[in-house]
DNA sequence: ATATGAAGTCAACGCCTGTTGAAGTCAACG
DNA sequence: CGTTGACTTCAACAGGCGTTGACTTCATAT
């Protein structure tokens, strides 16, 4: 079963939208720009997705896919999480859901709400799986704060030392923090 | 020497601008809204500040005023920094420079550049003062990532557990992380 | 009282935005 | 060939934006 022509255009539009939303955020991306990048008419964007907001909602959808850490060396859980997280950010190269949301969530309540959803449905369960208990939601929030902070400084604000830092160093340094937040205990040395 | 009338209006405008920029970011705040909040004509805003961008630049200016930690118990430097940082955020209640910049820096390169300036001129020197050495800029970047991440989750994205967490708990938990990043060593217990 | 200059208002410009409905194109099918 | 139906374009609307220049208001100083 081949994909219909309309389905192909839909995807072209979403791809263009992802790229632009991820680079400039919701407000600074216009329907006309998206259409131009997809080499079609602006009206078609609306016809396919109803409105700019609905297109954004669709473009921003994604799964964080935190790795299963139940069979990872317990003292290396933090590193494993950071490793995966950075790979997600660098892999999707501006077309992924996280950059899109982070770029827009500081000024759009809708996007902020989507971030809270992701925290609730994807980060919190993962942290709970590592170590349950009454403090799980707090620990998850601390984990999220450190991970989002790293992405903010490295990929969005582009603080030079943060950009220059090799990935492995981040994995080790930030990994230790995540380890403590997620498990409640410090990582053992080297 | 009394303040002239024009000076008073100038300040009214900046105050209104600070409030709105801090709540909704640069793009979603209009000159007309600012004027309306200041109870004057939109044209006056431009007359006084030249353009919306110049008004923003002025409204976003601020000093982080990181405390002098040279005479603080060395094992409590992290806590002291977090304590001060949270006080800044909660004190300025949406009218301070940091919320304004953070709300806009994800989609405005100008605002992002201002954030890099603050990192360079205010955070980096403070971290260097605690412990110099070749890794100071990296450690400062890690400090910034954690602090900005906390503000993002607590004041902007409003992750419920992060909002609910008492300030003292944040000071202790995040303080430990900042302690390690800033000094290169862990905090001693209790 | 009248002139002066600052302080503030008004209406409008040109531009860009998301969105709409009618018209057009083109391949598939009777 | 002619007609359908999916796919796409075109031109335009209504509204909001930052910004401008001419006008009014008003306190002050001569």
């Amino acid at each position: 079963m081949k994909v219909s022509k309309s389905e192909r255009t839909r995807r072209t539009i979403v791809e263009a939208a992802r790229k632009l939303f991820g680079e400039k955020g919701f407000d600074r991306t216009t329907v006309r720009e998206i259409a131009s990048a997809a080499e079609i008419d602006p009206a078609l964007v609306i016809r396919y997705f109803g409105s700019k907001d609905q297109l954004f909602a669709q473009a921003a959808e994604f799964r964080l896919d935190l790795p299963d850490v139940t069979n990872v060396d317990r003292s290396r859980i933090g590193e494993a999480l950071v490793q995966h997280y950075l790979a997600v950010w660098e892999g999707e190269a501006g077309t992924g859901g996280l950059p899109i949301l982070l770029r827009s969530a500081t000024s759009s309540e809708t996007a902020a709400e989507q971030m809270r959803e992701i925290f609730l449905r994807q980060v919190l369960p993962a942290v709970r799986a590592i170590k349950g208990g009454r403090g799980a939601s707090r620990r998850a929030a601390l984990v999220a704060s450190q991970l989002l902070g790293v992405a903010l400084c490295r990929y969005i604000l582009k603080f030079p030392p943060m950009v220059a830092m090799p990935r492995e160093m981040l994995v080790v340094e930030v990994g230790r923090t995540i380890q403590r937040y997620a498990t409640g205990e410090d990582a053992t040395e080297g």
Side-chain angles (χ1 to χ4, degrees), chain A:
Chain A
M1 175 171 156
K2 267 189 55 177
V3 285
S4 61
K5 183 130 194 271
S6 72
E7 196 52 40
R8 223 180 315 132
T9 329
R10 259 189 102 86
R11 289 182 196 175
T12 312
I13 296 173
V14 174
E15 268 171 44
R18 285 186 126 96
K19 180 164 187 302
L20 290 165
F21 282 143
E23 284 171 6
K24 330 199 296 174
F26 181 84
D27 290 324
R28 302 215 168 177
T29 302
T30 70
V31 171
R32 283 169 163 86
E33 277 177 312
I34 294 169
S36 165
E39 295 180 303
I40 44 115
D41 193 272
L44 209 54
V45 175
I46 302 296
R47 178 139 298 195
Y48 271 102
F49 294 91
S51 72
K52 186 187 174 187
D53 291 80
Q54 287 173 259
L55 170 57
F56 180 83
Q58 192 135 339
E61 241 172 35
F62 80 109
R63 288 171 307 129
L64 193 50
D65 275 333
L66 286 172
D68 184 17
V69 290
T70 51
N71 46 2
V72 169
D73 182 355
R74 267 197 83 77
S75 69
R76 289 219 137 79
I77 287 180
E79 289 186 10
L81 286 175
V82 177
Q83 182 79 260
H84 174 81
Y85 178 75
L86 291 178
V88 166
W89 268 88
E90 295 181 4
E92 43 191 2
T95 70
L98 257 180
I100 298 175
L101 279 177
L102 190 48
R103 285 244 190 238
S104 304
T106 53
S107 55
S108 154
E109 183 51 34
T110 311
E113 175 59 33
Q114 281 184 259
M115 286 244 111
R116 285 191 290 267
E117 273 278 318
I118 287 162
F119 169 75
L120 210 70
R121 300 226 200 277
Q122 305 192 42
V123 181
L124 205 156
V127 171
R128 218 190 279 280
I130 293 167
K131 178 169 177 290
R134 240 162 275 86
S137 68
R138 282 171 185 161
R139 295 203 313 277
L142 289 167
V143 166
S145 80
Q146 176 63 97
L147 291 181
L148 283 176
V150 166
L152 183 70
C153 295
R154 188 170 166 98
Y155 305 113
I156 310 273
L157 303 182
K158 295 189 167 50
F159 286 175
M162 200 41 134
V163 173
M165 219 178 304
R167 191 200 282 205
E168 312 87 54
M169 184 177 289
L170 266 174
V171 168
V172 172
E173 291 296 327
V174 179
R176 277 237 256 166
T177 302
I178 299 300
Q179 177 79 22
R180 182 161 59 75
Y181 288 159
T183 67
E185 64 210 38
D186 281 36
T188 51
E189 295 273 352

